[in-house]
Amino acid sequence: MTFDRSLKIAPSILAADFANFGAEIRAVEAEGADWIHVDVMDGHFVPNISFGPATCAAIRPHIKTVMDVHLMIAPVDPYIDAFAAAGADILTAHIESGPHIHRTLQAIRAAGVKAGVALNPGTPASAVEPLLDMIDLVCVMTVNPGFGGQKFINMTAKIRALREMIKDRGIHIEIDGGVDPTTAPLVAAAGADVLVAGSAVFKGGSVENPAPYGNNINAIRAAVQSGG
Ligand code: DX5
Ligand code: ZN
């Protein structure tokens, strides 16, 4: 993975057919996905349960791009090695998931994986400042994590503050929640380069009829390019 700040669309498989992840991933990559976003939820840190390391390992061979794993779990540390062994390229932990995010990020990098830190809507950009030399990605949540298909919460001031703080460091700014052709231009203009989108990418399509996935991805890209 070489670093660049070009726009990347990362479909979240939380909005895909859970009985058919392999085929869904192949379809959405063929239709133009840049990364695959994998949402892990534990029913404790967030009020919903998705899947764990075994599912991640099973889908890994189907991902040709980047496996971007978003850990909405607490604690995180006991599971880092399992998610690293499952083949994650990036492991993102929530700053709110425990008292020792610094230790968690150290452990992710020690496992040979790129480290991300995610911020809930209620957490300020300044919380990232002491972590800047330990991260490859910061994920700004634009919904309260736990479910796909929620309404976008405007975090553009936070995104702008992070973009200024990051300067020329090789740190991606990822946006997660409620991204669609209307909201994507706002977050991209504020400095985001990775846009996670679940419902806005998978709506209207299927493995048998994947063309809408491509149309949906292109609609987000076009909206960003034209500035909304
Ligand atoms: C929310 C997840 C998101 C979610 C995004 O807790 O982290 O990745 O799947 O879904 P949409 O794009 O539908 O808001
Ligand atoms: Zn996510």
Side-chain angles (χ1 to χ4, degrees):
M1 264 183 84
T2 52
F3 182 85
D4 73 80
R5 214 173 273 296
S6 63
L7 181 73
K8 289 164 282 293
I9 310 289
S12 164
I13 59 165
L14 198 62
D17 175 1
F18 269 46
N20 217 354
F21 275 152
E24 287 277 45
I25 288 164
R26 294 194 304 273
V28 83
E29 284 193 345
E31 293 293 331
D34 297 294
W35 291 9
I36 299 296
H37 186 81
V38 180
D39 283 309
V40 176
M41 303 180 178
D42 67 350
H44 168 75
F45 178 69
V46 291
N48 192 11
I49 300 177
S50 59
F51 47 76
T55 302
C56 291
I59 66 176
R60 172 71 262 192
H62 300 276
I63 300 175
K64 292 202 196 94
T65 58
V66 170
M67 186 178 192
D68 171 36
V69 178
H70 179 191
L71 298 174
M72 288 163 274
I73 65 174
V76 180
D77 297 8
Y79 303 102
I80 289 171
D81 288 343
F83 284 105
D89 294 298
I90 305 169
L91 280 177
T92 296
H94 269 263
I95 204 162
E96 308 86 1
S97 64
H100 300 298
I101 187 66
H102 192 283
R103 173 183 289 150
T104 300
L105 294 167
Q106 280 177 326
I108 292 172
R109 281 197 169 168
V113 180
K114 295 214 181 290
V117 67
L119 306 185
N120 281 337
T123 302
S126 58
V128 176
E129 200 137 31
L131 308 171
L132 284 174
D133 293 329
M134 319 188 61
I135 56 173
D136 304 287
L137 177 147
V138 55
C139 174
V140 178
M141 295 303 304
T142 41
V143 296
N144 286 295
F147 303 94
Q150 301 185 83
K151 194 176 169 329
F152 177 82
I153 303 169
N154 196 325
M155 291 281 132
T156 46
K158 192 194 288 189
I159 299 164
R160 253 185 250 111
L162 287 166
R163 185 65 198 88
E164 267 178 39
M165 198 188 291
I166 285 169
K167 300 198 169 70
D168 58 359
R169 292 179 178 86
I171 300 174
H172 296 289
I173 299 182
E174 176 176 74
I175 307 304
D176 190 1
V179 171
D180 63 20
T182 306
T183 58
L186 301 172
V187 297
D193 62 302
V194 185
L195 308 187
V196 175
S199 25
V201 167
F202 284 95
K203 69 164 191 222
S206 67
V207 165
E208 291 75 29
N209 174 34
Y213 298 167
N215 296 339
N216 294 337
I217 290 169
N218 290 339
I220 296 171
R221 266 195 234 286
V224 169
Q225 270 147 22
S226 71

